[in-house]
Coordinates of all heavy atoms in Angstrom, one line a residue:
M1 N -13.7 12.5 13.6 CA -12.5 12.5 14.6 C -11.3 13.0 13.8 O -11.0 12.6 12.7 CB -12.3 11.1 15.1 CG -11.2 11.1 16.2 SD -11.0 9.4 16.9 CE -9.7 8.8 15.9
R2 N -10.5 13.9 14.4 CA -9.3 14.4 13.8 C -8.1 14.2 14.8 O -8.3 14.3 16.0 CB -9.4 15.8 13.4 CG -10.3 16.1 12.3 CD -10.4 17.6 12.1 NE -9.2 18.1 11.5 CZ -8.9 18.2 10.2 NH1 -9.8 17.8 9.4 NH2 -7.8 18.8 9.8
Y3 N -7.0 13.9 14.3 CA -5.8 13.8 15.2 C -5.2 15.2 15.2 O -5.4 16.0 14.3 CB -4.8 12.9 14.6 CG -5.1 11.4 14.8 CD1 -4.4 10.5 14.1 CD2 -6.0 11.1 15.8 CE1 -4.7 9.1 14.3 CE2 -6.3 9.7 16.0 CZ -5.6 8.8 15.2 OH -5.9 7.5 15.4
L4 N -4.4 15.5 16.2 CA -3.6 16.7 16.2 C -2.6 16.6 15.0 O -2.0 15.5 14.9 CB -2.8 16.8 17.5 CG -3.6 17.1 18.7 CD1 -2.8 17.0 20.0 CD2 -4.2 18.5 18.6
E5 N -2.5 17.6 14.3 CA -1.7 17.6 13.0 C -0.3 17.1 13.3 O 0.3 16.3 12.6 CB -1.7 18.9 12.4 CG -1.3 18.9 11.0 CD -2.3 19.6 10.1 OE1 -3.5 19.7 10.5 OE2 -1.9 20.1 9.1
D6 N 0.3 17.6 14.4 CA 1.7 17.2 14.7 C 1.9 15.8 15.1 O 3.0 15.2 15.1 CB 2.2 18.2 15.8 CG 2.4 19.6 15.2 OD1 2.4 19.7 14.0 OD2 2.6 20.5 16.1
A7 N 0.8 15.2 15.6 CA 0.9 13.8 16.1 C 0.7 12.8 15.0 O 1.0 11.6 15.2 CB -0.2 13.6 17.1
V8 N 0.3 13.2 13.8 CA 0.1 12.3 12.7 C 1.5 11.8 12.2 O 2.4 12.7 11.9 CB -0.7 13.0 11.6 CG1 -0.7 12.1 10.3 CG2 -2.1 13.3 12.0
T9 N 1.7 10.5 12.0 CA 3.0 10.0 11.5 C 3.2 10.1 10.0 O 4.2 9.7 9.5 CB 3.2 8.6 12.0 OG1 2.2 7.7 11.4 CG2 3.1 8.4 13.5
L10 N 2.2 10.5 9.3 CA 2.2 10.6 7.9 C 3.4 11.4 7.3 O 3.6 12.6 7.7 CB 0.9 11.1 7.3 CG 0.8 11.2 5.8 CD1 0.6 9.8 5.2 CD2 -0.4 12.0 5.5
E11 N 4.2 10.8 6.5 CA 5.3 11.6 5.8 C 5.2 11.5 4.3 O 5.0 10.4 3.8 CB 6.6 10.9 6.2 CG 7.3 11.5 7.4 CD 8.7 10.8 7.5 OE1 9.6 11.0 6.7 OE2 8.8 9.9 8.4
F12 N 5.3 12.5 3.6 CA 5.2 12.5 2.2 C 6.5 13.1 1.6 O 7.0 14.1 2.0 CB 4.0 13.4 1.8 CG 3.9 13.6 0.3 CD1 4.0 12.5 -0.6 CD2 3.8 14.9 -0.3 CE1 3.9 12.7 -2.0 CE2 3.7 15.1 -1.6 CZ 3.8 14.0 -2.5
I13 N 7.1 12.3 0.7 CA 8.4 12.8 0.0 C 8.0 13.1 -1.4 O 8.0 12.3 -2.3 CB 9.4 11.6 0.1 CG1 9.6 11.2 1.6 CG2 10.7 12.1 -0.5 CD1 9.7 9.8 1.8
P14 N 7.7 14.4 -1.7 CA 7.3 14.8 -3.0 C 8.3 14.5 -4.2 O 7.8 14.2 -5.3 CB 7.1 16.3 -2.9 CG 7.5 16.7 -1.5 CD 7.8 15.5 -0.8
E15 N 9.6 14.5 -3.9 CA 10.6 14.2 -4.9 C 10.4 12.8 -5.5 O 10.8 12.5 -6.7 CB 12.0 14.3 -4.4 CG 12.4 15.7 -3.9 CD 11.7 16.1 -2.5 OE1 11.5 15.1 -1.7 OE2 11.4 17.2 -2.3
R16 N 9.8 11.9 -4.7 CA 9.7 10.5 -5.2 C 8.4 10.3 -6.0 O 8.2 9.3 -6.7 CB 9.7 9.5 -4.1 CG 11.0 9.4 -3.4 CD 11.0 8.2 -2.5 NE 12.3 8.1 -1.8 CZ 12.5 7.3 -0.8 NH1 11.6 6.5 -0.4 NH2 13.6 7.3 -0.2
C17 N 7.5 11.2 -5.9 CA 6.1 11.1 -6.4 C 6.1 11.2 -8.0 O 6.7 12.1 -8.5 CB 5.2 12.1 -5.8 SG 3.6 12.2 -6.6
D18 N 5.4 10.3 -8.7 CA 5.3 10.3 -10.1 C 3.9 10.8 -10.6 O 3.6 10.7 -11.7 CB 5.8 9.1 -10.8 CG 4.8 7.9 -10.5 OD1 3.8 8.1 -9.8 OD2 5.1 6.8 -11.0
G19 N 3.1 11.1 -9.6 CA 1.8 11.6 -9.9 C 0.8 10.6 -10.4 O -0.2 10.9 -11.1
C20 N 1.0 9.3 -10.0 CA 0.0 8.3 -10.4 C -1.4 8.5 -9.9 O -2.4 8.0 -10.4 CB 0.6 6.9 -10.0 SG 0.4 6.5 -8.3
G21 N -1.5 9.1 -8.7 CA -2.8 9.4 -8.2 C -3.4 8.4 -7.3 O -4.5 8.5 -6.8
M22 N -2.7 7.3 -7.1 CA -3.3 6.2 -6.3 C -3.6 6.6 -4.8 O -4.6 6.2 -4.3 CB -2.3 5.0 -6.2 CG -2.4 4.1 -7.4 SD -4.1 3.4 -7.6 CE -4.2 2.2 -6.3
C23 N -2.7 7.4 -4.3 CA -2.9 7.9 -2.9 C -4.2 8.7 -2.8 O -5.0 8.6 -1.8 CB -1.7 8.7 -2.4 SG -1.3 10.1 -3.4
V24 N -4.5 9.5 -3.8 CA -5.7 10.3 -3.8 C -6.9 9.3 -3.8 O -7.9 9.5 -3.2 CB -5.7 11.2 -5.0 CG1 -7.0 12.1 -5.0 CG2 -4.5 12.2 -5.0
K25 N -6.8 8.3 -4.7 CA -7.9 7.4 -4.9 C -8.2 6.5 -3.6 O -9.4 6.3 -3.3 CB -7.5 6.5 -6.0 CG -8.7 6.0 -6.9 CD -8.1 4.9 -7.9 CE -8.3 5.4 -9.3 NZ -7.8 4.4 -10.2
V26 N -7.2 6.1 -3.0 CA -7.4 5.1 -1.9 C -7.6 5.7 -0.5 O -8.1 5.1 0.4 CB -6.2 4.1 -1.8 CG1 -6.1 3.3 -3.1 CG2 -4.9 4.8 -1.4
C27 N -7.2 7.0 -0.4 CA -7.4 7.6 1.0 C -8.9 7.8 1.3 O -9.6 8.6 0.6 CB -6.6 8.9 1.0 SG -6.9 9.7 2.7
P28 N -9.3 7.2 2.4 CA -10.7 7.4 2.8 C -11.0 8.7 3.4 O -12.2 9.1 3.6 CB -11.0 6.2 3.8 CG -9.6 5.9 4.3 CD -8.6 6.3 3.3
H29 N -10.0 9.5 3.6 CA -10.2 10.8 4.3 C -9.7 12.0 3.5 O -9.6 13.1 4.0 CB -9.6 10.8 5.7 CG -10.2 9.8 6.6 ND1 -11.4 10.1 7.3 CD2 -9.9 8.6 6.9 CE1 -11.7 9.1 8.0 NE2 -10.8 8.1 7.8
A30 N -9.5 11.8 2.2 CA -9.2 12.9 1.3 C -8.0 13.8 1.8 O -8.0 15.0 1.7 CB -10.3 13.8 1.0
V31 N -7.0 13.0 2.3 CA -5.8 13.7 2.8 C -4.9 14.2 1.7 O -4.3 15.3 1.8 CB -5.0 12.8 3.8 CG1 -3.7 13.3 4.1 CG2 -5.8 12.4 5.0
F32 N -4.9 13.5 0.6 CA -4.1 13.9 -0.6 C -4.9 14.5 -1.7 O -6.1 14.1 -1.9 CB -3.4 12.6 -1.1 CG -2.2 12.2 -0.3 CD1 -2.3 11.2 0.6 CD2 -0.9 12.8 -0.5 CE1 -1.3 10.8 1.4 CE2 0.2 12.4 0.3 CZ 0.0 11.4 1.3
G33 N -4.3 15.4 -2.3 CA -4.9 16.0 -3.5 C -3.8 16.0 -4.6 O -2.7 15.7 -4.3
M34 N -4.2 16.4 -5.8 CA -3.2 16.6 -6.8 C -2.9 18.1 -7.1 O -3.8 18.9 -7.1 CB -3.7 16.0 -8.2 CG -3.8 14.4 -8.1 SD -2.3 13.5 -7.7 CE -1.4 13.6 -9.2
E35 N -1.6 18.3 -7.3 CA -1.2 19.7 -7.5 C 0.0 19.7 -8.4 O 1.0 19.0 -8.2 CB -0.7 20.3 -6.2 CG -1.1 21.7 -5.9 CD -0.8 22.2 -4.5 OE1 0.4 22.4 -4.3 OE2 -1.7 22.2 -3.7
N36 N -0.1 20.4 -9.6 CA 1.0 20.3 -10.6 C 1.4 18.9 -10.9 O 2.6 18.6 -10.9 CB 2.2 21.2 -10.1 CG 1.8 22.6 -9.9 OD1 1.0 23.2 -10.6 ND2 2.3 23.2 -8.8
K37 N 0.5 18.1 -11.1 CA 0.7 16.7 -11.6 C 1.5 15.8 -10.5 O 2.1 14.8 -10.8 CB 1.5 16.6 -12.9 CG 0.7 17.2 -14.0 CD 1.4 17.1 -15.3 CE 0.5 17.8 -16.4 NZ 1.3 18.0 -17.6
R38 N 1.5 16.3 -9.3 CA 2.0 15.5 -8.2 C 1.0 15.5 -7.1 O 0.2 16.4 -7.0 CB 3.3 16.2 -7.7 CG 4.5 15.7 -8.3 CD 5.7 16.2 -7.5 NE 7.0 16.0 -8.2 CZ 8.1 16.5 -7.8 NH1 8.2 17.3 -6.8 NH2 9.2 16.2 -8.4
A39 N 1.2 14.5 -6.2 CA 0.4 14.5 -5.0 C 0.8 15.6 -4.1 O 1.9 16.1 -4.1 CB 0.5 13.1 -4.3
A40 N -0.2 16.1 -3.3 CA 0.1 17.1 -2.3 C -0.8 16.8 -1.1 O -1.9 16.3 -1.2 CB -0.2 18.5 -2.9
L41 N -0.3 17.2 0.1 CA -1.1 17.0 1.3 C -2.1 18.1 1.3 O -1.8 19.3 1.4 CB -0.1 17.1 2.5 CG 0.7 15.8 2.8 CD1 1.7 16.1 3.8 CD2 -0.2 14.6 3.2
A42 N -3.4 17.7 1.2 CA -4.5 18.6 1.2 C -5.0 18.8 2.6 O -5.4 19.9 3.0 CB -5.6 18.1 0.3
D43 N -5.0 17.7 3.4 CA -5.6 17.9 4.8 C -4.9 16.8 5.7 O -5.5 15.8 6.0 CB -7.1 17.6 4.7 CG -7.8 17.9 6.0 OD1 -7.1 18.4 6.9 OD2 -9.0 17.7 6.1
R44 N -3.7 17.1 6.1 CA -2.9 16.2 6.9 C -3.6 15.8 8.2 O -3.5 14.6 8.6 CB -1.5 16.8 7.1 CG -0.5 15.8 7.7 CD 0.9 16.5 7.7 NE 1.9 15.5 8.1 CZ 2.3 15.4 9.3 NH1 1.8 16.1 10.3 NH2 3.2 14.5 9.6
G45 N -4.2 16.7 8.8 CA -4.8 16.5 10.1 C -6.0 15.5 10.0 O -6.4 15.0 11.0
A46 N -6.5 15.2 8.8 CA -7.6 14.2 8.7 C -7.1 12.8 8.6 O -7.9 11.9 8.6 CB -8.4 14.6 7.4
C47 N -5.8 12.6 8.5 CA -5.2 11.3 8.4 C -5.4 10.4 9.6 O -5.2 10.8 10.7 CB -3.7 11.4 8.1 SG -2.9 9.8 8.1
M48 N -5.9 9.2 9.3 CA -6.2 8.3 10.4 C -5.2 7.2 10.5 O -5.4 6.1 11.1 CB -7.6 7.7 10.2 CG -8.7 8.7 10.3 SD -8.8 9.4 11.9 CE -9.8 10.8 11.6
E49 N -4.1 7.3 9.7 CA -3.0 6.4 9.7 C -3.4 5.0 9.4 O -3.0 4.0 10.1 CB -2.3 6.5 11.1 CG -1.8 7.9 11.3 CD -1.1 8.0 12.7 OE1 -1.7 7.5 13.7 OE2 -0.1 8.7 12.8
C50 N -4.3 4.8 8.4 CA -4.8 3.5 8.0 C -3.7 2.8 7.2 O -3.7 1.5 7.1 CB -6.1 3.6 7.2 SG -5.9 4.3 5.6
G51 N -2.8 3.5 6.6 CA -1.7 2.9 5.8 C -2.0 2.6 4.4 O -1.2 2.2 3.6
A52 N -3.3 2.9 3.9 CA -3.6 2.5 2.5 C -2.8 3.3 1.5 O -2.4 2.7 0.5 CB -5.1 2.8 2.3
C53 N -2.5 4.5 1.7 CA -1.8 5.3 0.8 C -0.3 4.7 0.6 O 0.1 4.5 -0.5 CB -1.7 6.8 1.2 SG -1.1 7.0 2.8
A54 N 0.3 4.5 1.7 CA 1.7 4.0 1.7 C 1.7 2.6 1.0 O 2.7 2.3 0.2 CB 2.3 3.9 3.1
K55 N 0.7 1.8 1.3 CA 0.7 0.5 0.8 C 0.5 0.5 -0.7 O 1.0 -0.4 -1.5 CB -0.5 -0.3 1.4 CG -0.4 -1.8 1.5 CD -1.2 -2.4 2.6 CE -2.7 -2.2 2.4 NZ -3.5 -2.8 3.5
N56 N -0.2 1.5 -1.2 CA -0.5 1.6 -2.7 C 0.5 2.5 -3.5 O 0.3 2.6 -4.7 CB -1.9 2.1 -2.9 CG -2.9 1.0 -2.5 OD1 -3.2 0.1 -3.3 ND2 -3.5 1.0 -1.3
C57 N 1.4 3.1 -2.8 CA 2.4 4.0 -3.5 C 3.6 3.2 -3.9 O 4.4 2.7 -3.1 CB 2.8 5.1 -2.6 SG 4.0 6.2 -3.4
E58 N 3.7 3.0 -5.2 CA 4.8 2.2 -5.8 C 6.1 2.9 -5.7 O 7.2 2.3 -5.8 CB 4.5 1.7 -7.2 CG 3.3 0.7 -7.3 CD 3.1 0.2 -8.6 OE1 3.7 0.7 -9.6 OE2 2.3 -0.8 -8.7
R59 N 6.1 4.2 -5.6 CA 7.3 5.0 -5.5 C 7.8 5.1 -4.1 O 8.8 5.8 -3.9 CB 7.0 6.3 -6.1 CG 6.4 6.3 -7.5 CD 7.4 6.1 -8.6 NE 8.5 7.2 -8.5 CZ 9.5 7.3 -9.3 NH1 9.6 6.4 -10.3 NH2 10.3 8.3 -9.2
E60 N 7.1 4.6 -3.2 CA 7.5 4.7 -1.7 C 7.7 6.2 -1.3 O 8.7 6.5 -0.7 CB 8.8 3.9 -1.5 CG 8.5 2.4 -1.7 CD 9.7 1.5 -1.3 OE1 10.8 2.1 -0.9 OE2 9.6 0.3 -1.4
A61 N 6.8 7.0 -1.8 CA 6.8 8.4 -1.5 C 6.1 8.7 -0.2 O 6.1 9.9 0.2 CB 6.3 9.2 -2.7
I62 N 5.5 7.7 0.3 CA 4.6 8.0 1.5 C 5.1 7.0 2.6 O 5.2 5.8 2.4 CB 3.1 7.8 1.3 CG1 2.7 8.7 0.1 CG2 2.3 8.0 2.5 CD1 1.3 8.4 -0.4
R63 N 5.2 7.5 3.8 CA 5.5 6.7 5.0 C 4.5 7.0 6.0 O 4.2 8.2 6.3 CB 6.9 7.0 5.6 CG 8.0 6.4 4.7 CD 9.3 6.5 5.5 NE 10.4 6.6 4.5 CZ 11.3 7.5 4.6 NH1 11.4 8.4 5.5 NH2 12.3 7.5 3.6
V64 N 4.0 6.0 6.7 CA 3.0 6.3 7.8 C 3.1 5.1 8.7 O 3.3 3.9 8.3 CB 1.6 6.5 7.2 CG1 1.0 5.2 6.6 CG2 0.7 7.0 8.3
K65 N 3.0 5.4 10.0 CA 3.0 4.3 11.0 C 1.6 3.9 11.1 O 0.8 4.5 11.9 CB 3.5 4.9 12.3 CG 4.0 3.8 13.3 CD 4.6 4.5 14.4 CE 4.6 3.5 15.6 NZ 4.9 4.2 16.9
A66 N 1.2 2.8 10.4 CA -0.2 2.4 10.3 C -0.5 1.5 11.6 O 0.4 1.0 12.2 CB -0.4 1.6 9.1
G67 N -1.7 1.4 11.9 CA -2.2 0.5 12.9 C -2.5 1.3 14.2 O -2.9 0.6 15.2
V68 N -2.4 2.6 14.2 CA -2.8 3.3 15.5 C -4.1 4.0 15.3 O -4.6 4.5 16.3 CB -1.6 4.2 15.9 CG1 -0.4 3.5 16.4 CG2 -1.3 5.2 14.8
G69 N -4.6 4.1 14.1 CA -5.8 4.9 13.9 C -6.9 4.1 13.3 O -7.5 3.2 14.0
C70 N -7.2 4.4 12.1 CA -8.4 3.8 11.4 C -8.4 2.3 11.4 O -9.4 1.7 11.8 CB -8.3 4.3 10.0 SG -9.8 4.0 9.0
A71 N -7.4 1.6 11.0 CA -7.4 0.2 10.9 C -7.6 -0.4 12.2 O -8.3 -1.4 12.3 CB -6.0 -0.3 10.3
T72 N -7.0 0.1 13.2 CA -7.2 -0.4 14.6 C -8.6 -0.2 15.0 O -9.2 -1.1 15.6 CB -6.2 0.3 15.5 OG1 -4.9 0.2 15.1 CG2 -6.4 -0.2 17.0
A73 N -9.2 0.9 14.6 CA -10.6 1.1 15.0 C -11.5 0.1 14.3 O -12.5 -0.4 14.9 CB -11.0 2.6 14.6
V74 N -11.2 -0.2 13.1 CA -12.0 -1.1 12.3 C -11.9 -2.5 12.9 O -12.9 -3.2 13.2 CB -11.6 -1.2 10.8 CG1 -12.3 -2.3 10.1 CG2 -11.9 0.2 10.1
L75 N -10.7 -2.9 13.2 CA -10.4 -4.2 13.8 C -11.1 -4.3 15.2 O -11.8 -5.4 15.5 CB -8.9 -4.5 13.9 CG -8.2 -4.8 12.6 CD1 -6.7 -5.0 12.9 CD2 -8.8 -6.1 12.0
A76 N -10.9 -3.3 16.0 CA -11.5 -3.3 17.3 C -13.0 -3.4 17.2 O -13.7 -4.1 18.0 CB -11.1 -2.1 18.1
G77 N -13.6 -2.7 16.2 CA -15.0 -2.7 16.0 C -15.5 -4.1 15.6 O -16.5 -4.6 16.1
L78 N -14.7 -4.8 14.7 CA -15.1 -6.1 14.3 C -15.1 -7.1 15.4 O -16.0 -7.9 15.6 CB -14.1 -6.6 13.2 CG -14.3 -6.0 11.8 CD1 -13.2 -6.5 10.9 CD2 -15.7 -6.4 11.2
M79 N -14.0 -7.0 16.2 CA -13.9 -7.9 17.3 C -15.0 -7.7 18.4 O -15.4 -8.7 19.0 CB -12.5 -7.8 18.0 CG -11.4 -8.4 17.1 SD -9.9 -8.6 17.9 CE -9.3 -6.9 18.0
A80 N -15.4 -6.5 18.5 CA -16.4 -6.2 19.5 C -17.8 -6.4 18.9 O -18.8 -6.2 19.6 CB -16.2 -4.8 20.1
G81 N -17.9 -6.6 17.6 CA -19.1 -6.8 16.9 C -19.9 -5.5 16.8 O -21.1 -5.4 16.7
K82 N -19.1 -4.4 16.8 CA -19.7 -3.0 16.7 C -19.2 -2.3 15.4 O -18.3 -2.8 14.8 CB -19.3 -2.2 17.9 CG -19.9 -2.7 19.1 CD -19.4 -1.8 20.3 CE -19.8 -2.3 21.6 NZ -19.0 -1.8 22.7
E83 N -19.9 -1.2 15.1 CA -19.4 -0.4 14.0 C -18.1 0.2 14.3 O -17.8 0.5 15.4 CB -20.4 0.7 13.7 CG -21.7 0.3 13.1 CD -21.5 -0.1 11.6 OE1 -20.9 0.6 10.9 OE2 -21.9 -1.2 11.3
P84 N -17.2 0.3 13.3 CA -15.9 0.9 13.6 C -16.1 2.4 13.9 O -17.1 3.0 13.5 CB -15.2 0.8 12.2 CG -16.2 0.4 11.2 CD -17.3 -0.2 11.9
S85 N -15.2 2.9 14.7 CA -15.4 4.2 15.2 C -14.4 5.2 14.5 O -14.1 6.3 15.0 CB -15.2 4.3 16.7 OG -13.9 3.8 17.0
C86 N -13.9 4.8 13.4 CA -12.9 5.7 12.7 C -13.5 6.7 11.8 O -12.8 7.6 11.3 CB -11.9 4.9 11.9 SG -12.6 4.0 10.5
G87 N -14.8 6.6 11.5 CA -15.4 7.5 10.6 C -15.5 7.1 9.2 O -16.0 7.8 8.3
C88 N -15.0 5.9 8.9 CA -15.0 5.4 7.5 C -16.3 4.8 7.1 O -16.7 4.7 6.0 CB -13.9 4.4 7.3 SG -12.3 5.1 7.3
S89 N -17.1 4.3 8.1 CA -18.4 3.7 7.9 C -18.4 2.5 7.0 O -19.4 2.1 6.4 CB -19.4 4.7 7.3 OG -19.2 6.0 7.8
G90 N -17.1 1.9 6.8 CA -17.0 0.8 6.0 C -17.3 1.0 4.5 O -17.5 0.1 3.7
E91 N -17.3 2.2 4.1 CA -17.7 2.5 2.7 C -16.5 2.3 1.7 O -16.7 2.0 0.6 CB -18.0 4.0 2.5 CG -19.4 4.3 3.0 CD -19.7 5.8 3.1 OE1 -18.9 6.6 2.6 OE2 -20.6 6.2 3.9
S92 N -15.3 2.3 2.3 CA -14.1 2.1 1.5 C -13.5 0.8 1.7 O -13.2 0.4 2.9 CB -13.1 3.3 1.7 OG -11.9 2.9 1.1
S93 N -13.2 0.1 0.7 CA -12.6 -1.2 0.9 C -11.1 -1.1 1.0 O -10.3 -2.0 1.2 CB -12.9 -2.1 -0.3 OG -12.4 -1.5 -1.5
T94 N -10.6 0.2 0.9 CA -9.2 0.4 1.0 C -8.7 0.7 2.4 O -7.5 0.7 2.7 CB -8.8 1.6 0.1 OG1 -9.5 2.7 0.6 CG2 -9.0 1.4 -1.3
C95 N -9.6 0.8 3.3 CA -9.3 1.2 4.7 C -8.6 0.0 5.3 O -9.2 -1.1 5.4 CB -10.6 1.6 5.4 SG -10.2 2.1 7.1
G96 N -7.4 0.1 5.8 CA -6.8 -0.9 6.5 C -6.0 -1.8 5.4 O -5.5 -2.8 5.7
Ligands
LIG1 S1 0.7 7.0 -4.8 FE1 2.7 7.7 -4.5 S2 3.5 8.2 -6.6 FE2 1.3 8.0 -6.7 S3 0.6 10.1 -6.6 FE3 0.6 9.2 -4.5 S4 2.5 9.8 -3.6 FE4 2.7 10.1 -5.8
LIG2 S1 -2.8 6.7 6.1 FE1 -4.9 6.4 5.4 S2 -6.0 8.2 6.1 FE2 -3.8 8.7 6.2 S3 -3.3 9.7 4.2 FE3 -2.9 7.5 4.0 S4 -4.8 6.6 3.2 FE4 -5.3 8.6 4.0

């Protein structure tokens, strides 16, 4: 599942980034990549707004309105006793 690129609330402020790489590590959808020792948006449209990147960025270089995508899908799946429908398949413990 992909969101419309323009509808994704993900915001990245490159000036604040120190290149720690956490966002690349925790994103379950490979939205971030590294470029010239800084994070860069590699695939913004794949963002499911789980909030993991923003939560793990100590430089506050990422803002995202979490809770409307992946995390919500996981929670809804748990409550309904079904598999989440966000595409994460529960493989990543960073989701949500
Ligand atoms: S977690 Fe934040 S500081 Fe670290 S690479 Fe990503 S955007 Fe940059
Ligand atoms: S909000 Fe989640 S899916 Fe979107 S870029 Fe951050 S970690 Fe990746």
